Amino acid sequence: MMFPTIHTNLEQLNEKLSQQQNSVKPLGKSCFFDYKTGQHNIIDGRNVMCSDLETIEQWIEKVLRTEIDKYGVYTIDEHENFGISIYRYIGEKNIPMGYVASELKREITEQMLQHRYIKEVTDYQAIREKRGLHILFTTVLITGEQIKKEVQLYGL
């Protein structure tokens, strides 16, 4: 006989493959960055490390603070970019706020869903204020945990 005989249970093999495809790659290590002070948190000369939830929160904050296409280090490929383009509307008074709010909702939702641990974006609100736009939304993780986020954009 030219080919070897392999004795295997195809059902078990298919189940194992299915489990591997459904598992999500774990998050790597991330140093805690305090966006209020603009510095990494360091205790006893060592960086403070984030929990998984804090890592995702930091990623969300970084997306919202990054202007799309501004920094080459965040370019993923020609179809996928990191950040939001709302910053191009700052100072533009002739663009309807409804359009800006709608575009921002679309961009935030698209960016959040790129993260492998974020399942959906809910409870999105954009509230027009005298000096800008106040945005609130909730990200639902694949674990069922929720991260509520508030963002204040000035100059809109």
Side-chain angles (χ1 to χ4, degrees):
M1 183 190 268
M2 196 165 194
F3 296 105
T5 304
I6 299 174
H7 300 285
T8 185
N9 185 335
L10 287 178
E11 288 178 18
Q12 285 178 340
L13 184 60
N14 284 333
E15 185 176 322
K16 193 178 230 180
L17 286 172
S18 177
Q19 288 173 352
Q20 287 176 348
Q21 290 173 346
N22 291 336
S23 66
V24 179
K25 183 179 172 187
L27 294 171
K29 293 183 179 183
S30 181
C31 298
F32 191 87
F33 186 81
D34 188 340
Y35 284 96
K36 291 179 182 161
T37 64
Q39 297 179 353
H40 284 92
N41 284 3
I42 298 175
I43 296 177
D44 295 331
R46 293 184 177 189
N47 283 324
V48 175
M49 303 309 284
C50 293
S51 67
D52 285 348
L53 191 60
E54 289 170 333
T55 297
I56 297 168
E57 288 174 342
Q58 297 240 320
W59 182 86
I60 292 169
E61 188 74 31
K62 191 179 293 183
V63 167
L64 297 173
R65 290 174 175 260
T66 303
E67 185 175 347
I68 202 163
D69 294 333
K70 186 169 184 179
Y71 305 102
V73 71
Y74 292 123
T75 302
I76 300 166
D77 63 30
E78 62 186 49
H79 303 294
E80 239 181 280
N81 289 311
F82 184 88
I84 56 176
S85 65
I86 193 64
Y87 299 100
R88 71 177 73 158
Y89 301 122
I90 292 178
E92 296 289 331
K93 299 295 181 191
N94 58 346
I95 299 174
M97 189 51 58
Y99 170 78
V100 173
S102 168
E103 222 11 57
L104 187 57
K105 178 181 180 179
R106 181 190 62 77
E107 283 190 13
I108 287 173
T109 301
E110 284 178 1
Q111 288 295 319
M112 295 302 111
L113 294 179
Q114 284 185 32
H115 196 286
R116 64 185 178 269
Y117 273 73
I118 296 176
K119 182 170 68 173
E120 65 181 318
V121 177
T122 62
D123 305 327
Y124 182 89
Q125 293 180 341
I127 303 164
R128 177 77 169 136
E129 294 180 346
K130 185 176 181 180
R131 296 180 57 204
L133 195 60
H134 188 84
I135 298 166
L136 302 104
F137 63 92
T138 302
T139 54
V140 181
L141 306 182
I142 59 172
T143 60
E145 295 173 287
Q146 296 183 355
I147 299 173
K148 295 186 182 298
K149 192 69 185 159
E150 286 189 47
V151 181
Q152 182 69 44
L153 296 173
Y154 296 104
L156 295 173

